[in-house]
Amino acid sequence: MENTNQAKKKAFLTGITGQDGSYLTDFLLAKNYEVHGLVRHSSVFNRQRLEHIYQATRRSAQSFLEYGTDIEQKSNLILHYGDLSDGSSLARLIAKIQPDEIYNLGAQSHVQISFDIPEYTGEITGLGTVRLLEAIRETKIKTKFYQASSSEMFGNAEETPQKETTAFRPRSPYGCAKVYAYHTAVNYREAYGLFICNGILFNHESPRRGENFVTRKIAKGVAEIVAGKRDHIYLGNLEAKRDWGYAPEYVEAMWLMMQQEQGDDYVIATGETHSVGEFTEEIFSLAGIDNWEKYIKKNPIYYRPTEINALIGDATKAKNKLGWEPKIRFKELARIMLDAELKKLGIIVIRN
Ligand code: NAP
Ligand code: GDD
């Protein structure tokens, strides 16, 4: 049980509107944190993943939609406009909020898209981290910093499974930007004695995953086939293998890293790997559809100029030092994702 007499801890999250940001917000609010989030302006509403929190606290829809900041400070979730490309806004916010913990989850996070916008990806996913670290250094605020590092950094990995000591051989502009951010984070830890953690997270998925990542795309596509709304799913490389975990469990690992005595780097993974084809087959099978291959059309636009053929992580250090272990495995993850999509389409799922 939480001690409610203690002063509320404050966390500042970039990427709060994303998959991980929204789950971490749920997690931290349940731990009685005051959560501050960076949101960027967009012409369409980009806060759907946080809407349940606003509805639960019955805040004024007006301030949420128009500005998003909790003007009346009635809830523990406060949003601020800013951007990882805008260093002055980051420094101003950090000075104003004085957070105990900063989680840098914001990024141009799509690997294939990073080949189309490499410069922007470097700007946000790489340099965005430097801007935040510089803001901490200049404001001299005593805070802890989490960097969302990625298994994509291992790229064409030289060993299997990949662990904290495995060399990075990135295969995409996104992977290169994350390697830059990782090394910068380590350098600021060593040079300035800051508390900094790199969470090297392998793929993690959920019903809140962006629709253009492969697991969500497949789960949504199959649910739509069941509903008679489409006939096919267009995919790229079905042979690539990934170590897929469940996002809500992975945000807990982030928090655990930040509660240690010292900042350190940790791999977070399930230790299991499956191909995109196996995931597709599993989802079709859960939906009761045989001959899954006849519903798949290959489209070359989804192939990447360079691909990572296989990733599998070794999270032994996280188990030993953080007591963290994944519970949701491949088959259950697939079921959670398919059932969420079927539910959205009004299809009642009864499973034994
Ligand atoms: P996501 O759903 O794509 O969310 C990315 C977040 O970054 C969104 O909130 C997005 O805002 C924000 N963002 C993008 N550009 C920005 C900018 N210029 N300024 C400020 N914010 C910006 O990603 P995720 O899956 O939650 O992943 C969270 C972090 O972990 C990312 O850094 C990702 O690269 C990393 N990671 C993810 C995985 C994974 O499997 N999910 C694995 C390893 C590492 P909008 O909502 O406005 O677009
Ligand atoms: N997105 C997508 N769309 N991927 C496809 C498709 C498709 O239609 N067809 C096949 N794939 C293959 C990709 O080529 C890749 O090998 C695999 O499916 C997974 O693709 P994504 O779901 O886009 O994830 P990712 O592994 O490239 O990147 C995700 O995980 C990284 C951690 O390893 C992202 O969340 C990154 O931000 C994260 O760092």
Side-chain angles (χ1 to χ4, degrees), residues 17-20 40 46 83-84 105 107 109 174 178 201 204:
T17 55
Q19 171 188 257
D20 291 4
R40 56 182 180 155
N46 62 356
D83 199 294
L84 282 165
L105 309 179
S109 71
Y174 168 82
K178 283 286 183 189
L201 272 50
H204 45 280

Side-chain angles (χ1 to χ4, degrees), residues 152-172:
E152 186 73 17
M153 301 189 307
F154 295 120
N156 222 350
E158 58 167 16
E159 64 176 340
T160 302
Q162 295 84 48
K163 49 185 186 284
E164 292 78 7
T165 50
T166 304
F168 299 140
R169 297 166 70 181
R171 297 267 283 170
S172 64

Side-chain angles (χ1 to χ4, degrees), residues 70-302:
D70 189 351
I71 295 155
E72 296 162 33
Q73 292 264 326
K74 276 187 188 150
S75 86
N76 284 332
L77 173 59
I78 300 148
L79 302 180
H80 308 265
Y81 278 114
D83 199 294
L84 282 165
S85 63
D86 187 329
S88 60
S89 69
L90 300 174
R92 200 165 48 244
L93 285 174
I94 287 175
K96 181 174 149 195
I97 298 163
Q98 304 255 331
D100 300 286
E101 297 170 11
I102 298 175
Y103 295 85
N104 182 29
L105 309 179
Q108 190 304 93
S109 71
H110 200 285
V111 173
Q112 183 162 13
I113 294 171
S114 77
F115 288 97
D116 299 326
I117 47 171
E119 202 175 314
Y120 177 77
T121 303
E123 187 67 53
I124 303 308
T125 308
L127 276 176
T129 304
V130 182
R131 292 191 184 98
L132 277 169
L133 290 169
E134 275 298 290
I136 293 171
R137 205 162 72 85
E138 279 173 21
T139 51
K140 298 190 173 60
I141 279 165
K142 197 170 163 6
T143 187
K144 296 179 173 182
F145 185 83
Y146 174 88
Q147 169 59 19
S149 287
S150 164
S151 53
E152 186 73 17
M153 301 189 307
F154 295 120
N156 222 350
E158 58 167 16
E159 64 176 340
T160 302
Q162 295 84 48
K163 49 185 186 284
E164 292 78 7
T165 50
T166 304
F168 299 140
R169 297 166 70 181
R171 297 267 283 170
S172 64
Y174 168 82
C176 296
K178 283 286 183 189
V179 169
Y180 172 70
Y182 168 93
H183 284 305
T184 304
V186 172
N187 179 242
Y188 273 59
R189 184 166 67 209
E190 292 171 354
Y192 306 116
L194 302 177
F195 184 109
I196 295 177
C197 299
N198 276 290
I200 307 172
L201 272 50
F202 282 62
N203 298 50
H204 45 280
E205 318 294 312
S206 74
R208 294 187 200 171
R209 185 59 142 149
E211 288 179 17
N212 57 355
F213 294 91
V214 81
T215 55
R216 177 87 194 280
K217 181 174 172 179
I218 295 165
K220 185 169 183 281
V222 171
E224 286 172 359
I225 289 171
V226 171
K229 286 174 175 274
R230 70 153 80 202
D231 299 323
H232 296 101
I233 306 173
Y234 290 88
L235 290 173
N237 182 3
L238 300 184
E239 270 76 56
K241 290 183 159 183
R242 291 292 182 271
D243 179 332
W244 280 298
Y246 185 45
E249 295 184 348
Y250 283 45
V251 301
E252 180 169 13
M254 296 175 189
W255 178 80
L256 284 168
M257 290 175 210
M258 297 282 266
Q259 311 315 307
Q260 305 306 303
E261 288 286 304
Q262 300 213 318
D264 203 348
D265 309 322
Y266 301 87
V267 159
I268 299 297
T270 68
E272 252 184 67
T273 192
H274 295 273
S275 69
V276 174
E278 282 168 348
F279 187 85
T280 315
E281 184 175 15
E282 180 64 27
I283 294 270
F284 272 102
S285 152
L286 283 164
I289 301 174
D290 298 328
N291 300 326
W292 64 275
E293 276 151 315
K294 79 174 192 213
Y295 297 95
I296 302 301
K297 289 199 174 184
K298 291 281 198 76
N299 190 331
I301 65 165
Y302 297 118

